Coordinates of all heavy atoms in Angstrom, one line a residue:
R1 N -4.0 -4.8 -6.2 CA -3.7 -5.6 -5.1 C -4.5 -5.1 -3.9 O -4.7 -3.9 -3.8 CB -2.2 -5.4 -4.8 CG -1.3 -5.9 -5.9 CD 0.1 -5.8 -5.7 NE 0.8 -6.4 -6.8 CZ 2.0 -6.2 -7.1 NH1 2.7 -5.3 -6.4 NH2 2.6 -6.8 -8.1
D2 N -4.9 -6.0 -3.1 CA -5.5 -5.5 -1.9 C -4.5 -5.4 -0.8 O -3.6 -6.2 -0.7 CB -6.6 -6.6 -1.4 CG -7.7 -6.7 -2.3 OD1 -8.1 -5.6 -2.9 OD2 -8.3 -7.7 -2.4
L3 N -4.5 -4.3 -0.1 CA -3.5 -3.9 0.8 C -3.9 -4.0 2.3 O -4.9 -3.5 2.6 CB -3.0 -2.5 0.5 CG -1.8 -2.0 1.1 CD1 -0.6 -2.7 0.6 CD2 -1.6 -0.5 0.8
H4 N -3.0 -4.6 3.1 CA -3.2 -4.6 4.6 C -2.2 -3.6 5.2 O -1.1 -3.7 5.0 CB -2.9 -6.0 5.2 CG -3.8 -7.1 4.7 ND1 -5.1 -7.2 5.0 CD2 -3.6 -8.0 3.8 CE1 -5.7 -8.2 4.4 NE2 -4.7 -8.8 3.6
L5 N -2.7 -2.6 5.9 CA -1.9 -1.6 6.5 C -1.9 -1.7 8.0 O -2.9 -2.0 8.6 CB -2.4 -0.2 6.1 CG -2.4 0.1 4.6 CD1 -3.1 1.4 4.3 CD2 -1.0 0.0 4.0
G6 N -0.8 -1.3 8.7 CA -0.8 -1.3 10.1 C 0.0 -0.1 10.6 O 0.8 0.5 9.9
Q7 N -0.3 0.4 11.8 CA 0.3 1.6 12.4 C 1.3 1.3 13.5 O 1.0 0.6 14.4 CB -0.8 2.6 12.8 CG -0.2 3.9 13.2 CD -0.9 5.0 12.5 OE1 -1.9 4.8 11.9 NE2 -0.4 6.2 12.7
H8 N 2.5 1.9 13.5 CA 3.5 1.7 14.5 C 3.8 3.1 15.1 O 3.2 4.0 14.8 CB 4.8 1.2 13.8 CG 4.6 -0.2 13.2 ND1 5.0 -1.3 13.7 CD2 4.0 -0.5 12.0 CE1 4.7 -2.3 12.9 NE2 4.1 -1.8 11.9
S9 N 4.8 3.1 16.0 CA 5.1 4.4 16.6 C 5.5 5.5 15.6 O 5.1 6.6 15.7 CB 6.3 4.2 17.6 OG 7.4 3.6 17.0
C10 N 6.3 5.1 14.6 CA 6.4 6.0 13.4 C 5.1 5.7 12.6 O 4.6 4.7 12.7 CB 7.7 5.8 12.7 SG 7.7 4.3 11.7
P11 N 4.7 6.7 11.8 CA 3.4 6.5 11.2 C 3.4 5.4 10.1 O 3.3 5.7 8.9 CB 3.0 7.9 10.6 CG 4.3 8.5 10.4 CD 5.2 8.0 11.4
T12 N 3.6 4.2 10.4 CA 3.5 3.1 9.4 C 2.2 2.4 9.5 O 1.6 2.4 10.6 CB 4.7 2.1 9.7 OG1 4.5 1.5 10.9 CG2 6.0 2.7 9.6
R13 N 1.8 1.9 8.4 CA 0.5 1.2 8.4 C 0.8 -0.1 7.7 O 1.5 -0.1 6.7 CB -0.6 1.9 7.6 CG -1.0 3.2 8.3 CD -2.0 3.9 7.4 NE -3.3 3.2 7.7 CZ -4.4 3.5 7.0 NH1 -4.4 4.3 6.0 NH2 -5.5 2.8 7.2
R14 N 0.3 -1.2 8.2 CA 0.5 -2.5 7.5 C -0.9 -2.8 6.9 O -1.9 -2.7 7.5 CB 0.8 -3.6 8.5 CG 0.8 -4.9 7.8 CD 1.8 -5.9 8.5 NE 3.1 -5.4 8.2 CZ 4.2 -6.0 8.6 NH1 4.1 -7.1 9.3 NH2 5.4 -5.6 8.3
S15 N -0.8 -3.1 5.6 CA -2.0 -3.2 4.8 C -1.9 -4.5 4.0 O -0.9 -4.9 3.5 CB -2.2 -2.0 4.0 OG -3.2 -2.2 3.0
S16 N -3.1 -5.1 3.7 CA -3.1 -6.2 2.7 C -3.8 -5.6 1.5 O -4.9 -4.9 1.7 CB -3.9 -7.4 3.3 OG -3.2 -7.9 4.3
D17 N -3.3 -5.8 0.3 CA -3.9 -5.2 -0.8 C -4.1 -6.3 -1.9 O -3.4 -7.3 -1.9 CB -3.1 -4.0 -1.3 CG -1.7 -4.4 -1.9 OD1 -1.6 -5.5 -2.5 OD2 -0.8 -3.6 -1.8
L18 N -4.9 -6.0 -2.9 CA -5.2 -6.8 -4.0 C -4.9 -6.1 -5.3 O -5.4 -5.0 -5.5 CB -6.7 -7.3 -4.0 CG -7.1 -8.2 -5.2 CD1 -6.4 -9.5 -5.1 CD2 -8.5 -8.3 -5.2
D19 N -4.0 -6.6 -6.1 CA -3.6 -6.0 -7.4 C -4.6 -6.4 -8.4 O -4.9 -7.6 -8.7 CB -2.2 -6.5 -7.8 CG -1.7 -5.8 -9.0 OD1 -2.5 -5.6 -9.9 OD2 -0.5 -5.6 -9.0
S20 N -5.3 -5.4 -9.0 CA -6.3 -5.7 -10.0 C -5.8 -6.4 -11.3 O -6.5 -7.2 -11.9 CB -7.0 -4.4 -10.4 OG -6.1 -3.5 -11.0
A21 N -4.5 -6.1 -11.6 CA -4.0 -6.7 -12.8 C -3.6 -8.2 -12.6 O -3.7 -9.0 -13.6 CB -2.7 -5.9 -13.2
T22 N -3.1 -8.5 -11.5 CA -2.6 -9.9 -11.2 C -3.6 -10.7 -10.4 O -3.5 -12.0 -10.4 CB -1.3 -9.9 -10.5 OG1 -1.4 -9.4 -9.2 CG2 -0.2 -9.1 -11.3
G23 N -4.5 -10.1 -9.7 CA -5.4 -10.8 -8.7 C -4.7 -11.3 -7.5 O -5.2 -12.0 -6.7
Q24 N -3.4 -10.8 -7.3 CA -2.6 -11.3 -6.2 C -2.7 -10.4 -5.0 O -2.7 -9.2 -5.1 CB -1.1 -11.2 -6.7 CG -0.1 -12.0 -6.0 CD 1.2 -12.0 -6.7 OE1 1.6 -11.0 -7.2 NE2 1.9 -13.1 -6.7
A25 N -2.9 -11.0 -3.8 CA -2.9 -10.2 -2.6 C -1.6 -10.2 -2.0 O -0.8 -11.2 -2.1 CB -4.0 -10.9 -1.7
R26 N -1.2 -9.2 -1.3 CA 0.0 -9.1 -0.5 C -0.1 -8.1 0.6 O -1.1 -7.4 0.7 CB 1.1 -8.6 -1.5 CG 1.0 -7.2 -1.9 CD 2.2 -6.8 -2.7 NE 2.1 -5.4 -3.1 CZ 3.1 -4.7 -3.6 NH1 4.3 -5.3 -3.7 NH2 3.0 -3.4 -3.9
T27 N 0.9 -8.2 1.5 CA 0.9 -7.3 2.7 C 2.0 -6.3 2.5 O 3.1 -6.7 2.1 CB 1.1 -8.1 4.0 OG1 0.0 -9.0 4.1 CG2 1.2 -7.2 5.2
M28 N 1.7 -5.1 2.8 CA 2.7 -4.0 2.6 C 2.7 -3.1 3.9 O 1.7 -3.0 4.5 CB 2.3 -3.2 1.4 CG 3.1 -2.0 1.1 SD 2.4 -1.1 -0.3 CE 2.6 -2.3 -1.6
T29 N 3.9 -2.6 4.2 CA 4.0 -1.7 5.3 C 4.4 -0.3 4.8 O 5.3 -0.1 4.0 CB 5.0 -2.2 6.3 OG1 4.7 -3.5 6.8 CG2 5.1 -1.2 7.6
L30 N 3.6 0.7 5.2 CA 4.0 2.1 4.9 C 4.9 2.7 6.0 O 4.5 2.6 7.1 CB 2.7 3.0 4.7 CG 1.7 2.5 3.7 CD1 0.5 3.4 3.7 CD2 2.4 2.5 2.3
V31 N 6.0 3.3 5.6 CA 7.0 3.7 6.5 C 7.5 5.1 6.1 O 7.3 5.6 5.0 CB 8.2 2.7 6.5 CG1 7.7 1.3 7.0 CG2 8.9 2.6 5.2
Y32 N 8.3 5.7 7.0 CA 9.0 6.9 6.6 C 10.0 6.6 5.5 O 10.5 5.5 5.4 CB 9.8 7.5 7.8 CG 8.9 8.2 8.9 CD1 9.0 7.9 10.2 CD2 8.1 9.2 8.5 CE1 8.2 8.6 11.1 CE2 7.3 9.9 9.4 CZ 7.4 9.6 10.7 OH 6.6 10.2 11.6
P33 N 10.5 7.6 4.8 CA 11.4 7.3 3.6 C 12.6 6.6 4.0 O 13.0 5.7 3.2 CB 11.7 8.7 3.1 CG 10.5 9.6 3.5 CD 10.0 9.0 4.8
E34 N 13.2 6.9 5.1 CA 14.5 6.2 5.5 C 14.3 4.7 5.8 O 15.2 3.9 5.7 CB 15.2 6.8 6.7 CG 14.3 6.9 8.0 CD 13.4 8.1 8.1 OE1 13.2 8.8 7.1 OE2 12.9 8.3 9.2
G35 N 13.0 4.2 6.0 CA 12.8 2.8 6.2 C 12.3 2.1 5.0 O 12.0 0.9 5.1
A36 N 12.1 2.8 3.9 CA 11.6 2.2 2.7 C 12.5 1.1 2.1 O 13.7 1.3 2.1 CB 11.3 3.3 1.6
D37 N 11.9 0.0 1.7 CA 12.6 -1.1 1.0 C 11.6 -1.9 0.3 O 10.9 -2.7 0.8 CB 13.3 -1.9 2.1 CG 14.1 -3.1 1.5 OD1 14.0 -3.3 0.3 OD2 14.8 -3.8 2.3
V38 N 11.5 -1.6 -1.0 CA 10.5 -2.2 -1.9 C 10.6 -3.8 -1.8 O 9.6 -4.5 -1.8 CB 10.5 -1.7 -3.3 CG1 9.5 -2.4 -4.2 CG2 10.2 -0.2 -3.3
S39 N 11.8 -4.3 -1.8 CA 12.0 -5.7 -1.8 C 11.5 -6.4 -0.5 O 11.2 -7.6 -0.5 CB 13.5 -6.1 -2.0 OG 14.3 -5.7 -0.9
A40 N 11.4 -5.6 0.6 CA 10.8 -6.1 1.8 C 9.4 -5.6 2.0 O 8.8 -5.7 3.1 CB 11.7 -5.6 3.0
A41 N 8.7 -5.1 1.0 CA 7.3 -4.6 1.0 C 7.2 -3.5 2.0 O 6.1 -3.3 2.6 CB 6.4 -5.8 1.3
K42 N 8.2 -2.6 2.1 CA 8.1 -1.4 2.9 C 8.1 -0.2 2.0 O 9.1 0.1 1.3 CB 9.3 -1.3 3.9 CG 9.2 -2.4 4.9 CD 10.4 -2.3 5.9 CE 10.3 -3.4 6.9 NZ 11.4 -3.3 7.9
L43 N 7.0 0.5 1.9 CA 6.8 1.6 0.9 C 6.7 2.9 1.7 O 6.0 3.1 2.7 CB 5.4 1.4 0.2 CG 5.0 2.4 -0.9 CD1 6.0 2.3 -2.0 CD2 3.6 2.1 -1.3
S44 N 7.5 3.9 1.2 CA 7.5 5.2 1.8 C 6.2 5.9 1.7 O 5.5 5.9 0.7 CB 8.6 6.1 1.1 OG 8.5 7.5 1.5
I45 N 5.8 6.6 2.8 CA 4.6 7.4 2.8 C 4.7 8.6 2.0 O 3.7 9.3 1.7 CB 4.2 7.8 4.3 CG1 5.3 8.7 4.9 CG2 3.9 6.6 5.1 CD1 4.9 9.3 6.2
L46 N 5.9 8.9 1.5 CA 6.0 10.1 0.6 C 6.0 9.8 -0.9 O 6.0 10.7 -1.7 CB 7.3 10.9 1.0 CG 7.4 11.4 2.4 CD1 8.7 12.2 2.6 CD2 6.2 12.3 2.7
T47 N 5.9 8.5 -1.2 CA 5.7 8.2 -2.6 C 4.2 8.5 -3.0 O 3.4 8.5 -2.1 CB 6.0 6.7 -2.9 OG1 5.0 5.9 -2.2 CG2 7.4 6.3 -2.6
P48 N 3.9 8.7 -4.2 CA 2.5 9.0 -4.6 C 1.5 7.8 -4.1 O 0.5 8.1 -3.6 CB 2.5 9.1 -6.1 CG 3.9 9.6 -6.4 CD 4.8 8.9 -5.4
I49 N 1.9 6.6 -4.3 CA 1.1 5.5 -3.9 C 1.0 5.4 -2.3 O -0.1 5.2 -1.8 CB 1.5 4.1 -4.5 CG1 1.4 4.2 -6.0 CG2 0.8 3.0 -3.9 CD1 1.9 3.0 -6.7
G50 N 2.1 5.6 -1.7 CA 2.1 5.5 -0.2 C 1.3 6.6 0.4 O 0.5 6.4 1.3
A51 N 1.4 7.8 -0.2 CA 0.6 8.9 0.3 C -0.9 8.7 0.1 O -1.8 9.0 1.0 CB 1.0 10.2 -0.3
A52 N -1.3 8.1 -1.0 CA -2.7 7.8 -1.3 C -3.2 6.7 -0.4 O -4.3 6.8 0.1 CB -2.8 7.4 -2.8
L53 N -2.4 5.7 -0.2 CA -2.9 4.6 0.7 C -3.1 4.9 2.1 O -3.9 4.4 2.8 CB -1.9 3.4 0.6 CG -1.8 2.7 -0.8 CD1 -0.7 1.7 -0.8 CD2 -3.2 2.0 -1.0
I54 N -2.3 5.9 2.6 CA -2.3 6.2 4.1 C -3.7 6.7 4.5 O -4.1 6.6 5.6 CB -1.2 7.2 4.5 CG1 -0.8 6.9 5.9 CG2 -1.6 8.6 4.3 CD1 0.6 7.4 6.2
G55 N -4.4 7.3 3.5 CA -5.7 7.8 3.8 C -6.9 6.9 3.6 O -8.1 7.3 3.8
L56 N -6.6 5.7 3.1 CA -7.7 4.8 2.7 C -8.2 3.9 3.8 O -7.4 3.5 4.7 CB -7.3 3.9 1.5 CG -7.0 4.6 0.2 CD1 -6.6 3.5 -0.8 CD2 -8.2 5.4 -0.3
S57 N -9.4 3.5 3.8 CA -10.0 2.5 4.7 C -10.2 1.2 4.0 O -10.1 1.1 2.8 CB -11.3 3.1 5.3 OG -11.2 4.3 5.9
V58 N -10.6 0.2 4.8 CA -10.9 -1.1 4.2 C -12.0 -1.0 3.2 O -12.9 -0.2 3.3 CB -11.3 -2.1 5.3 CG1 -11.8 -3.4 4.7 CG2 -10.2 -2.3 6.3
N59 N -11.8 -1.7 2.0 CA -12.6 -1.7 0.9 C -12.5 -0.5 0.0 O -13.2 -0.4 -1.0 CB -14.1 -2.0 1.2 CG -14.3 -3.4 1.7 OD1 -13.7 -4.3 1.2 ND2 -15.1 -3.6 2.7
Q60 N -11.7 0.5 0.3 CA -11.5 1.6 -0.6 C -10.3 1.2 -1.5 O -9.5 0.4 -1.2 CB -11.1 2.9 0.2 CG -12.3 3.4 0.9 CD -12.0 4.8 1.5 OE1 -11.0 4.9 2.2 NE2 -12.9 5.8 1.3
S61 N -10.2 1.9 -2.7 CA -9.2 1.6 -3.6 C -8.7 2.9 -4.3 O -9.3 3.9 -4.2 CB -9.7 0.6 -4.7 OG -10.8 1.2 -5.4
I62 N -7.5 2.7 -4.9 CA -6.9 3.8 -5.7 C -6.6 3.2 -7.1 O -6.3 2.0 -7.2 CB -5.7 4.4 -5.0 CG1 -4.6 3.3 -4.9 CG2 -6.0 5.1 -3.8 CD1 -3.2 3.9 -4.6
E63 N -6.5 4.1 -8.1 CA -6.0 3.7 -9.4 C -4.8 4.6 -9.6 O -4.7 5.7 -9.2 CB -7.1 4.0 -10.4 CG -8.3 3.0 -10.4 CD -9.2 3.2 -11.5 OE1 -8.9 4.0 -12.5 OE2 -10.2 2.5 -11.5
F64 N -3.8 4.0 -10.3 CA -2.6 4.7 -10.6 C -2.0 4.2 -11.9 O -2.3 3.1 -12.4 CB -1.6 4.6 -9.5 CG -1.2 3.2 -9.2 CD1 0.0 2.7 -9.7 CD2 -1.9 2.4 -8.4 CE1 0.4 1.4 -9.5 CE2 -1.5 1.1 -8.1 CZ -0.4 0.6 -8.7
Q65 N -1.2 5.0 -12.5 CA -0.5 4.6 -13.7 C 1.0 4.3 -13.4 O 1.7 5.0 -12.7 CB -0.5 5.8 -14.7 CG -0.1 5.3 -16.1 CD -0.4 6.4 -17.2 OE1 -0.6 7.6 -16.8 NE2 -0.4 6.0 -18.4
T66 N 1.4 3.1 -13.9 CA 2.8 2.7 -13.6 C 3.8 3.4 -14.5 O 3.3 4.1 -15.5 CB 3.0 1.2 -13.9 OG1 2.8 1.0 -15.3 CG2 2.0 0.3 -13.1
P67 N 5.1 3.4 -14.2 CA 6.0 4.1 -15.1 C 6.0 3.5 -16.5 O 6.3 4.2 -17.5 CB 7.4 3.8 -14.5 CG 7.0 3.6 -13.0 CD 5.7 2.9 -13.0
A68 N 5.5 2.3 -16.7 CA 5.4 1.7 -18.1 C 4.1 2.1 -18.8 O 3.9 1.7 -19.9 CB 5.4 0.2 -18.0
G69 N 3.3 2.9 -18.1 CA 2.1 3.4 -18.7 C 0.8 2.6 -18.5 O -0.2 2.9 -19.0
E70 N 0.9 1.5 -17.7 CA -0.2 0.6 -17.4 C -1.0 1.2 -16.3 O -0.5 1.8 -15.3 CB 0.3 -0.8 -17.0 CG 1.1 -1.5 -18.0 CD 1.6 -2.8 -17.4 OE1 1.7 -2.9 -16.2 OE2 1.9 -3.7 -18.2
W71 N -2.3 1.1 -16.3 CA -3.2 1.5 -15.2 C -3.4 0.3 -14.3 O -3.7 -0.8 -14.8 CB -4.5 2.0 -15.7 CG -4.3 3.4 -16.2 CD1 -4.1 3.8 -17.5 CD2 -4.3 4.6 -15.4 NE1 -4.0 5.2 -17.6 CE2 -4.1 5.7 -16.3 CE3 -4.5 4.9 -14.1 CZ2 -4.0 7.0 -15.9 CZ3 -4.4 6.2 -13.6 CH2 -4.2 7.2 -14.5
R72 N -3.3 0.5 -13.0 CA -3.5 -0.5 -12.0 C -4.4 0.0 -10.9 O -4.5 1.2 -10.8 CB -2.1 -0.9 -11.3 CG -1.0 -1.3 -12.3 CD -1.2 -2.7 -12.8 NE -0.9 -3.8 -11.9 CZ 0.3 -4.3 -11.7 NH1 1.4 -3.9 -12.4 NH2 0.5 -5.3 -10.8
S73 N -4.9 -0.8 -10.1 CA -5.6 -0.4 -8.9 C -5.3 -1.3 -7.7 O -4.9 -2.4 -7.9 CB -7.2 -0.4 -9.1 OG -7.6 -1.7 -9.3
L74 N -5.3 -0.6 -6.6 CA -5.1 -1.3 -5.3 C -6.3 -1.2 -4.4 O -6.8 -0.1 -4.3 CB -3.9 -0.8 -4.6 CG -2.5 -0.9 -5.2 CD1 -1.4 -0.2 -4.4 CD2 -2.1 -2.4 -5.3
K75 N -6.8 -2.2 -3.9 CA -7.9 -2.2 -3.0 C -7.5 -2.6 -1.6 O -6.8 -3.7 -1.4 CB -9.0 -3.1 -3.5 CG -10.2 -3.1 -2.6 CD -11.3 -4.1 -3.1 CE -12.5 -4.2 -2.1 NZ -13.4 -5.2 -2.6
V76 N -7.8 -1.9 -0.6 CA -7.4 -2.2 0.8 C -8.3 -3.3 1.3 O -9.6 -3.1 1.3 CB -7.5 -0.9 1.7 CG1 -7.2 -1.3 3.2 CG2 -6.5 0.1 1.2
L77 N -7.7 -4.4 1.7 CA -8.5 -5.5 2.3 C -8.6 -5.5 3.8 O -9.5 -5.9 4.4 CB -7.9 -6.9 1.8 CG -7.8 -7.1 0.4 CD1 -7.1 -8.4 0.1 CD2 -9.2 -7.2 -0.2
A78 N -7.5 -5.1 4.4 CA -7.4 -5.0 5.9 C -6.4 -4.0 6.3 O -5.4 -3.7 5.5 CB -7.0 -6.4 6.4
V79 N -6.5 -3.5 7.5 CA -5.6 -2.5 8.1 C -5.3 -3.0 9.5 O -6.2 -3.3 10.2 CB -6.1 -1.1 8.1 CG1 -5.1 -0.2 8.8 CG2 -6.4 -0.6 6.7
R80 N -4.0 -3.1 9.8 CA -3.6 -3.5 11.2 C -2.8 -2.3 11.8 O -1.9 -1.8 11.2 CB -2.7 -4.7 11.1 CG -3.4 -6.0 10.8 CD -2.6 -7.2 11.0 NE -1.4 -7.2 10.3 CZ -1.2 -7.8 9.1 NH1 -2.2 -8.5 8.6 NH2 0.0 -7.8 8.6
N81 N -3.2 -1.9 12.9 CA -2.6 -0.8 13.7 C -1.8 -1.4 14.8 O -2.1 -2.5 15.3 CB -3.6 0.1 14.2 CG -4.4 0.8 13.2 OD1 -3.9 1.2 12.2 ND2 -5.7 0.9 13.3
G82 N -0.7 -0.7 15.2 CA 0.1 -1.1 16.3 C 1.4 -1.6 15.9 O 1.7 -1.8 14.7
G83 N 2.4 -1.7 16.9 CA 3.7 -2.1 16.6 C 3.9 -3.5 16.3 O 4.8 -4.0 15.7

């Protein structure tokens, strides 16, 4: 997935990402753990994927293994900063 990230007063980033397995793009917000809600596309910065994404720039990607054992990659398409 390509990820669009953005930054708010708390260290959140809004990102658009592209999922390599599905080819689907989506927007995700990285938030503190208390604000995390996967169904609302809010991912904690303390999860392994959240921590990895927070350091990426546009066009960078990460690979990770899902709990089901599948390998996936996320590529950052855009990052939006600000509230």
Side-chain angles (χ1 to χ4, degrees):
R1 296 181 177 162
D2 290 330
L3 190 65
H4 298 285
L5 302 173
Q7 186 129 6
H8 300 255
S9 55
C10 70
T12 62
R13 296 180 77 187
R14 175 151 290 181
S15 168
S16 294
D17 68 33
L18 178 68
D19 186 321
S20 62
T22 65
Q24 198 173 39
R26 69 177 183 166
T27 297
M28 175 182 296
T29 302
L30 298 178
V31 299
Y32 283 129
E34 60 272 12
D37 181 353
V38 175
S39 66
K42 294 180 179 181
L43 183 65
S44 169
I45 60 172
L46 297 183
T47 63
I49 294 173
L53 288 172
I54 211 162
L56 296 182
S57 299
V58 174
N59 290 323
Q60 289 186 309
S61 61
I62 59 166
E63 290 187 6
F64 61 96
Q65 192 169 17
T66 67
E70 299 173 339
W71 282 95
R72 305 283 285 270
S73 68
L74 293 176
K75 179 181 177 185
V76 176
L77 299 176
V79 175
R80 289 193 302 264
N81 295 317

